Amino acid sequence: MTTPPSQVVLSVEDVTIDTRPAGRKPIVRNISFDVREGETLCIVGESGSGKSVTSMAVMGLLPKDALQVTGGRILLDGEDVLQATPARIRELRAQKVAMVFQEPMTALNPVKTAGAQIDEVLRLHTNLSAAERRQKVLHMLERVHLPDVERIYKSYPHQLSGGQRQRIVIAMALILRPRLLLADEPTTALDVTTQKQILRLIKELQEEEKTAVVFVTHDFGVVSEIADRIVVMNRGDLVETGTCAEILSNPRQDYTRMLVASVPSLIPRCVPVPANPKVLEVVALEKRYGKKGLYRDRSVLAAQNISFTVRKGEITGIIGESGSGKSTVARCVMRLTDPSGGAIVLNGHDIVPLRNLRPMRQHVQYIFQDPYRSLNPRRTIGQSLMEGLLNYGLRETEAARKAAATLELVNLPAEVMNRYPHQFSGGQRQRIAIARAVVMEPDLLIADEAVSALDVTVQAQVLQLFEEIRARTGISILFITHDLRVAAQICNTIVVMQDGRIVEQGAARDVLAAPVQAYTRSLIDAAPAPDWDFQNFRPVSRAL
Amino acid sequence: MTQTPAPDTPIPPARDLPEMDSAAPDGGFGALVRGVLSSWPSRISALVLGAIILMAVLAPFLGTTDPVAINPALRLQGSGPEHWLGTDSFGRDVYSRIVYGARISLAVGAGTVLVSLLFGVFFGVITGYFKWADIIVMRFMDGLMAIPGILLAIALVAISGATLTTVLIAISVPEIPRIARMVRSVILGVKNEPYVEAASVLGTGVWKMVWRHMLPNTVAPLLVQGTYIFASAIMTESILSFLGAGIPPETPSWGNMMADGRTFFLLKPELILYPGAMVSLTVLSVNMLGDVLRDRLDPRMAKRL
């Protein structure tokens, strides 16, 4: 992947970005890097590292009242973007730089058709006639490998899938053949299989057009797939730059080392648990949304014929892409959603017919995906932790003692009981949410994408925490995730779901190492960088 | 193997405590008051409103005479040392009536806010939380909202007779659906928040859930809505009195005074202007405070508090 010396497209020289009015500490400090023609540069970092702010500065998109570039130069084909007039920047955005954002739904206008939105770009920046423009747009849609381009042209964003929307956004970005493409986490909101396709698409278009690409991401899997060179950022500082191979196989800095090593391995680690008593047995579970009409069936089967068991001390993973029904199953088990059929046997009792859920909820607890929204912002950590205990009649002093002890378990000091959620980082909040569930001493813990919103290093900590809690309390965990790497780290048993059905299930080492079904295999293949062992900084040795 | 493998376990989570400087949550009543009093218009409004409240409370000690004492010999007098703002068509002291009238107006304002909030929040919570209640109660509320408030108030007063209590109820009833709808929408919105689901997973009961996790979200919009209701209640009371459907005519209220002064407007316009000015001042300052409150409590502004 070595590029011959070619022209530098973007050159960021010693850039410092500060809050306005100037704060205590600049957001980004003295960053320098170059991007050449036809090269992909990945900016990698955890949340808060300043990677997005840097890319926004290149586009001239920094919020004027909040952030400003206080030092350095950003040269685009030799022209300093920071000195350019607003009119010139608009011109540059059209002809030289284009941007692709994380969430394609919000990047597109919901009340205009996909075709009209791409057409608008041409109308504003070229003198082509309507017919020529249409021709060009359709051609571009074909180039991003969309099927049935005539129909797509006339479709509104909500009629398209996430992957198709992101293709539209890419088409829009590249139709004017910019010199530089800035992609800010463009695949983070997509499923793995779609992500793989989008990455391939960007690579392909880039090779045709010799576009320079700056790819901002937190995911080292994605990085290893696409990057020529890598810039690692941490808290506003540039930690390390190097070629993809250098960074992945021989990182020089400790921080980079830790970051790379935090990427969970695809190799399943856990063996099946012995034949412990069953904590949860789901039998032929079915969930139908909407009602069957008299003439037409408008209902959607979100889950059908779902059967699996979770034994004591076992971590069972349900994996699948979005829309596969994995969350529906989890919510049914918690009875946050009422199942339409089947049985959910918890500790020997079917909980489907239950009307009073209180006694059952003592034994099952749920951890939500978003730690920012699952804690009531108006209540202190202590109040949140003690709420469940008090509900089940524990005395206040006793509850406080238990809550404090549980906080220690998740590695937070007991003094934080009087703090409010907004004073904690995402990872800390998720640890608090876990403590809130664990303090109830449930038999079964349901973790619904509980680590998906977290940075890799934090993710690794939280996964380890789950492992510790399981070892200490013998708890069973139902672990819902879309991330095979995470599942491989923590699950004993794995259930693979697709379109509301179970495709394959079995011990993690069997399902992940030797999948029987084609769908499971495609999921594993789509996982970024399946053949790189991040922990050991070398390719995976297939000998197990 | 030439490279050193990374440690088996990830780096243990540092027991990094969040910075202490933000430890004290800057919220609560004190911060709100400070926020509201941060600009001049709101300071003036608060000052005016404070003065009017003080006037109502201290009415007997402000050089007033009996506001209902009739003295036909001294009808329609101008301002003078005896009667500071003159007398009305029955020879009653206008100044005293305005000072005592503040009591009625403020009582109607505060009473309406209290009554409509009480019932509005109750119905809002019921309809927001329970689907069956939503269908029944909200249709009834829709019906109430379809009738113009004044018309409804006149009808209610006409049925039950004019006393302070009936007028208060008559003004409150049309406000209830507004509050109920607002509370309902907040409850509906917050119902699917993960933290509410999390609380239900922890076995929190319905009423505890509403009180702890849902109602706190309604405080800000209710506070703002409350100020508007306060202002509009004072207006409505005046209008009702002016139309002769309000508080009994001998009771000094600003609306009554304007109604009485109507026939003498050409002869002595002050009879309407003085109480009218008081109504305007009160309503204006309450509305101003409401605006400032709304800006302050807007979640997008909250960070700057």
Side-chain angles (χ1 to χ4, degrees):
Chain A
M1 270 194 260
T2 48
T3 33
S6 53
Q7 209 189 341
V8 173
V9 175
L10 174 74
S11 172
V12 171
E13 292 177 3
D14 207 21
V15 163
T16 297
I17 300 170
D18 203 346
T19 49
R20 182 188 294 235
R24 282 165 286 182
K25 210 174 174 192
I27 306 282
V28 169
R29 289 176 297 276
N30 308 94
I31 298 284
S32 303
F33 58 84
D34 289 342
V35 192
R36 292 169 183 284
E37 231 171 29
E39 182 186 47
T40 303
L41 177 91
C42 278
I43 306 183
V44 195
E46 299 187 279
S47 46
S49 61
K51 56 190 194 299
S52 286
V53 170
T54 307
S55 69
M56 278 159 79
V58 173
M59 271 305 257
L61 281 178
L62 291 179
K64 288 232 156 41
D65 53 342
L67 294 170
Q68 61 184 339
V69 179
T70 52
R73 296 196 300 170
I74 298 176
L75 299 178
L76 189 65
D77 274 340
E79 180 178 355
D80 192 348
V81 176
L82 300 175
Q83 307 298 328
T85 61
R88 179 67 190 145
I89 285 187
R90 270 200 301 280
E91 237 167 83
L92 286 176
R93 271 187 211 152
Q95 292 156 5
K96 294 208 168 163
V97 205
M99 193 153 186
V100 175
F101 296 93
Q102 174 171 354
E103 186 46 72
M105 192 65 212
T106 49
L108 291 171
N109 185 343
V111 298
K112 283 178 128 182
T113 62
Q117 294 187 50
I118 307 177
D119 185 67
E120 191 177 356
V121 179
L122 288 177
R123 211 180 60 230
L124 290 174
H125 298 294
T126 63
N127 296 321
L128 300 173
S129 71
E132 284 172 315
R133 291 202 306 264
R134 188 184 155 81
Q135 210 50 48
K136 224 175 158 180
V137 171
L138 288 177
H139 177 62
M140 193 68 213
L141 290 179
E142 260 162 28
R143 285 186 60 201
V144 294
H145 303 302
L146 281 165
D148 197 2
V149 289
E150 293 281 347
R151 184 181 60 82
I152 299 274
Y153 189 95
K154 282 180 285 192
S155 300
Y156 289 92
H158 72 268
Q159 296 168 319
L160 304 171
S161 71
Q164 288 174 328
R165 279 184 220 130
Q166 198 60 291
R167 281 166 199 270
I168 299 283
V169 174
I170 291 171
M172 210 184 323
L174 293 182
I175 196 158
L176 289 170
R177 313 182 65 178
R179 299 268 292 146
L180 174 69
L181 177 70
L182 282 169
D184 190 354
E185 306 258 7
T187 58
T188 307
L190 305 174
D191 283 324
V192 273
T193 47
T194 324
Q195 164 168 309
K196 186 111 182 169
Q197 292 159 6
I198 295 287
L199 291 179
R200 204 174 289 154
L201 174 72
I202 291 178
K203 197 94 201 160
E204 176 191 320
L205 293 172
Q206 174 192 22
E207 273 161 20
E208 286 169 25
E209 303 272 352
K210 289 266 168 261
T211 316
V213 175
V214 173
F215 200 101
V216 178
T217 183
H218 69 280
D219 187 341
F220 259 106
V222 171
V223 170
S224 66
E225 294 263 313
I226 197 169
D228 295 319
R229 283 194 308 126
I230 299 175
V231 171
V232 181
M233 286 183 71
N234 180 31
R235 301 190 180 188
D237 290 314
L238 194 148
V239 178
E240 187 169 355
T241 51
T243 64
C244 187
E246 275 170 17
I247 300 272
L248 288 182
S249 58
N250 193 14
R252 289 187 305 264
Q253 301 293 325
D254 284 345
Y255 178 76
T256 317
R257 234 182 148 66
M258 184 193 77
L259 205 57
V260 174
S262 295
V263 178
S265 158
L266 255 178
I267 304 159
R269 286 201 318 178
C270 305
V271 294
V273 293
N276 285 341
K278 288 174 189 171
V279 172
L280 173 76
E281 183 166 16
V282 175
V283 185
L285 180 74
E286 181 187 298
K287 174 65 191 173
R288 187 181 287 279
Y289 285 108
K291 286 205 178 75
K292 266 189 184 168
L294 207 52
Y295 304 106
R296 258 188 299 175
D297 185 3
R298 283 214 187 82
S299 65
V300 178
L301 261 178
Q304 55 180 314
N305 203 13
I306 304 292
S307 304
F308 62 90
T309 55
V310 182
R311 294 180 183 277
K312 187 166 166 44
E314 186 179 40
I315 300 184
T316 298
I318 301 184
I319 56 178
E321 299 188 283
S322 52
S324 62
K326 54 191 193 309
S327 279
T328 302
V329 171
R331 292 177 67 87
C332 283
V333 173
M334 192 68 237
R335 284 291 306 272
L336 283 170
T337 307
D338 290 330
S340 323
I344 298 167
V345 183
L346 186 71
N347 289 333
H349 302 285
D350 186 2
I351 61 165
V352 173
L354 279 187
R355 303 214 71 191
N356 182 9
L357 297 171
R358 261 176 79 100
M360 158 240 154
R361 288 202 158 149
Q362 208 171 356
H363 301 292
V364 191
Q365 283 298 310
Y366 202 96
I367 298 162
F368 295 82
Q369 172 171 6
D370 187 350
Y372 290 89
R373 289 169 62 199
S374 67
L375 292 166
N376 187 342
R378 291 167 210 269
R379 291 175 66 76
T380 63
I381 303 308
Q383 283 174 326
S384 285
L385 279 175
M386 283 152 62
E387 178 159 354
L389 295 173
L390 297 177
N391 283 338
Y392 287 100
L394 211 64
R395 270 185 300 117
E396 186 135 5
T397 47
E398 184 67 7
R401 200 189 53 73
K402 273 183 98 164
T406 314
L407 276 174
E408 294 282 340
L409 183 71
V410 299
N411 241 311
L412 284 167
E415 299 94 72
V416 304
M417 298 259 281
N418 295 325
R419 305 274 186 82
Y420 286 87
H422 71 263
Q423 298 171 280
F424 296 88
S425 69
Q428 287 167 334
R429 283 192 216 197
Q430 197 61 306
R431 297 217 293 266
I432 292 165
I434 292 170
R436 178 176 61 180
V438 170
V439 78
M440 300 292 291
E441 294 173 4
D443 301 320
L444 177 67
L445 199 60
I446 302 174
D448 188 358
E449 300 277 12
V451 297
S452 305
L454 308 174
D455 282 326
V456 270
T457 52
V458 182
Q459 194 173 20
Q461 293 165 7
V462 172
L463 286 178
Q464 196 198 0
L465 176 64
F466 274 120
E467 197 72 59
E468 279 170 23
I469 290 170
R470 191 245 306 250
R472 203 178 296 189
T473 61
I475 205 170
S476 311
I477 302 177
L478 185 59
F479 198 89
I480 318 296
T481 184
H482 68 278
D483 190 337
L484 282 144
R485 291 179 174 279
V486 169
Q489 286 307 295
I490 194 170
C491 299
N492 303 108
T493 322
I494 279 182
V495 177
V496 183
M497 283 187 71
Q498 183 192 16
D499 296 334
R501 273 175 251 250
I502 291 182
V503 179
E504 185 168 358
Q505 58 181 319
R509 57 174 183 201
D510 300 336
V511 174
L512 290 178
V516 181
Q517 299 293 326
Y519 179 72
T520 317
R521 172 148 294 285
S522 72
L523 269 186
I524 293 170
D525 288 344
D531 44 9
W532 189 265
D533 183 353
F534 290 94
Q535 274 80 38
N536 297 315
F537 309 103
R538 61 188 161 97
V540 170
S541 47
R542 279 291 176 193
L544 260 175
Chain B
M1 199 172 17
T2 52
Q3 285 138 6
T4 33
D8 236 9
T9 50
I11 288 145
R15 310 230 330 191
D16 42 349
L17 270 176
E19 287 167 36
M20 278 301 269
D21 59 347
S22 60
D26 189 25
F29 194 67
L32 189 66
V33 169
R34 253 176 286 129
V36 166
L37 295 184
S38 60
S39 72
W40 275 110
S42 54
R43 276 181 210 158
I44 293 170
S45 308
L47 204 72
V48 169
L49 198 66
I52 291 170
I53 292 172
L54 216 65
M55 187 173 90
V57 174
L58 301 177
F61 310 107
L62 295 174
T64 52
T65 56
D66 184 357
V68 291
I70 294 174
N71 189 350
L74 294 170
R75 294 171 63 216
L76 301 174
Q77 297 271 310
S79 300
E82 192 74 7
H83 301 287
W84 293 353
L85 297 178
T87 59
D88 68 3
S89 56
F90 294 97
R92 294 174 294 198
D93 183 36
V94 171
Y95 167 70
S96 306
R97 284 181 74 75
I98 281 188
V99 173
Y100 276 95
R103 291 184 162 187
I104 301 291
S105 292
L106 293 181
V108 167
T112 307
V113 170
L114 222 65
V115 172
S116 55
L117 279 192
L118 205 69
F119 285 93
V121 168
F122 175 75
F123 286 122
V125 167
I126 297 266
T127 53
Y129 204 89
F130 303 104
K131 240 182 177 166
W132 54 265
D134 193 25
I135 297 165
I136 305 164
V137 178
M138 281 329 274
R139 293 301 77 74
F140 184 68
M141 294 284 168
D142 287 346
L144 265 185
M145 283 190 93
I147 309 169
I150 288 280
L151 204 64
L152 194 65
I154 292 175
L156 285 173
V157 172
I159 293 169
S160 48
T163 63
L164 182 60
T165 327
T166 53
V167 168
L168 218 154
I169 293 170
I171 299 175
S172 303
V173 167
E175 303 287 356
I176 292 173
R178 258 181 275 274
I179 299 272
R181 281 167 75 118
M182 202 196 68
V183 172
R184 170 177 171 270
S185 70
V186 172
I187 300 268
L188 278 179
V190 88
K191 212 165 126 183
N192 292 323
E193 280 291 312
Y195 69 80
V196 170
E197 286 190 330
S200 112
V201 165
L202 292 170
T204 304
V206 173
W207 297 115
K208 242 187 209 169
M209 176 86 81
V210 168
W211 181 250
R212 269 187 198 163
H213 299 289
M214 296 179 156
L215 278 184
N217 293 296
T218 64
V219 170
L222 280 181
L223 214 58
V224 175
Q225 195 70 24
T227 60
Y228 292 134
I229 289 179
F230 189 93
S232 89
I234 292 175
M235 291 286 288
T236 314
E237 184 272 323
S238 304
I239 295 168
L240 281 181
S241 302
F242 188 80
L243 294 173
I247 290 159
E250 70 276 7
T251 319
S253 94
W254 294 338
N256 271 342
M257 294 173 69
M258 287 193 275
D260 286 342
R262 187 180 51 196
T263 34
F264 301 94
F265 183 67
L266 289 179
L267 203 62
K268 202 165 178 299
E270 306 98 287
L271 285 183
I272 283 187
L273 290 184
Y274 291 142
M278 290 308 288
V279 172
S280 309
L281 260 181
T282 315
V283 171
L284 191 67
S285 35
V286 173
N287 272 342
M288 289 263 251
L289 282 181
D291 277 344
V292 176
L293 268 184
R294 190 198 52 210
D295 291 348
R296 280 284 142 188
L297 293 170
D298 190 310
R300 276 164 298 184
M301 305 281 290
K303 283 190 194 108
R304 297 183 192 171
L305 247 180

